[in-house]
Amino acid sequence: MLQTIHDKAKGWIAYAIVGFISIPFALWGINSYMEGGSTKAAAVVNGEDIPAQEVQQELAQIRQQFGQMAAQLGDDNLKKMALNNVVNQVLLRQKAKDEGYRASTEDVATAIAEISVFQKDGQFDKATYESFLASQRRNQGAFEEQMRTDITNGQFRDGLQSTAFATKAQMEQYQTLRNQKRDVELFTIKLADFEPQVQITDEQISKYYAEHKSQFMTEEKVKVAYIDLNQEALANTVTVDEGGLQTYYDEHKDRYLTPETRNTSHILVAVADPAQDAEAKKKIDAIYADMQAGKKTFEDAAKTDSDDKATAEAAGVVGEVAAGSWDPEFEKAVFAAEVNKITEPVKTGAGYEIIRVNSVKAAVQKPYEEVKTQVEQDYRRAEAEKLFLDAAEKLQTIAYEQSGDLAPASKAVNVPVQESAWLRRSKGEGVLTDPKLLAEAFSDEVLKEGKNSQVVQVSDTQAIVLRLAGQEPAAQKPLDEVKAEITTLLKAQEARKLVTQKGDELLKQLKTTGWTALDASGLGKAETIEKPGFVQRTGSTIAPEVIEKIFTLPRPVTGQLDWDKVVLANGDYTVISLKAVEDGPNTLEENSPQMYGSVSGARELEAALEDLRARSEIVLHPENI
């Protein structure tokens, strides 16, 4: 299946290359042509230009993830985050390529077979796979190539993470610290108790507004005109006639077969760990020798010696086996076996197996009339695919060459120009929610230069080009509109100062006289002291910031207290009294090697990225984002 699709994908590529042979291709190369001429680089990583559009797409995704919080983080911080993310991705990809990592066809097939949505009754099902991709308007060849890329890019990363480990001494030390308990007492000064004491004047409000106007801006909005080229819509325009369908059926008869199935039985000696391989091979050979010598029948051996307990109860009967749904090595053995003859032991993905084919049902060609509806669907999809490729080429060419208007491109592909509602950088509408499209809508080419955007490949079967139809720039909100917001903000700021001042004064006294200073402070009484006793790093109801501080304090001298404080994110001030530290048991758990190996792996990956960045030539151009 993968090879067939791969051959088809090569046909696509050949078609596209022929379609793009033109003067712009000769002058600037296909990359520049596809991207509308000169493309600004957001970074250059080891000589490789990273298009600003790629970072803008990452930026759009980050904005969507953070939502309303994005504005608080600031545009510069978000851009820096997006740029670093993309640079790290490029460095990993370059490293994987340099080291010769590449996913095999078998890797891709195995990964796809393990995806639950492609399975039926716990097994990969080809029809389910193809139906799912069709419903998502995904091309199989492109999907499998993307899977190959993802697996390849993950091989270097996974190689670091999966081979990391911690020594027994390290794990025991970690366990001791992880299970450590600390006896504490706490007292919290509440911000809310001080806010009523704060009075904010109109002068303070006006001054803050004047100094922080950028915090009180409306979000920039745009409307766009766009052409939505959709392969599914094109399928509905395909002219269908009986002769064409019959010809398509005749040329693709192998698609409309009831495949050959083989009723199969097996005996399995499982190999869960490579270290067990030799022992498993010895055991399966002994079982095979006993059957050859007549000491055991196949059925008896399947019942008593097979590790597949489900089939053992049925004397080893697996059931009907069809090509494409099973482990490749198992299938190979099944379809090479003679009926009613026991095979020699074979190595499969599950271990070692002895196989017997009980009967064969030959493949049956489904007659045209029976599958006519499916043939028409397949025919429409195939023809729409050709139409889509041709239209996408025209759309790209004309939208770029006549970049001041979408009408010529609309006429060329016979798809109407639509207009969106108002869009924001952090939120789209309808088909325009895709981060790549939002990045284009707010790009310099569209906003400042008034050009058509690049054609954005939303999916394997959908491409969109857009241009500016209306703009509402970010505007200053009037003072009256934000006065209440500023008042609340200033009250919190002033209350924080009061809380911190009072808290620091109290902490100074506590270090001298202990908790008795609390009564004299006017901030609380002894009964308001929290006494949670011994607490651990996890599972406590205490605020995470307080827990983090508790476990950074030095071990107190016996009979003395260690004091410190934490100012919480909400402005509350918590005083901490550390009384004692009790080390936890260092007993390792069954999953400790995996757990600490995972932690070590994450650290090694982080260190590898830092090393790659240090040894690479990286030039950043954040001004182009």
Side-chain angles (χ1 to χ4, degrees), residues 131-142:
S131 174
F132 181 86
L133 292 186
S135 70
Q136 298 294 310
R137 298 178 293 179
R138 298 292 303 272
N139 173 268
Q140 290 184 18

Side-chain angles (χ1 to χ4, degrees), residues 246 249 256 258 364-372 375:
Q246 183 67 59
Y249 170 81
Y256 310 107
T258 300
V364 177
Q365 182 68 51
K366 296 178 182 177
Y368 170 70
E369 291 299 330
E370 180 182 329
V371 295
K372 183 178 177 180
V375 171

Side-chain angles (χ1 to χ4, degrees), residues 269-281 307 347 349-352 594:
V269 176
V271 179
D273 186 331
Q276 302 171 347
D277 191 279
E279 183 181 346
K281 181 68 166 65
D307 287 334
K347 182 69 181 293
Y352 287 95
Q594 292 80 12

Side-chain angles (χ1 to χ4, degrees), residues 226-230 233 395 415-418 431 458 462-465:
Y226 65 98
I227 297 172
D228 182 0
L229 182 64
N230 192 305
L395 185 64
V415 176
V417 176
Q418 302 179 63
V431 297
V458 179
Q462 186 179 24
I464 291 177
V465 61

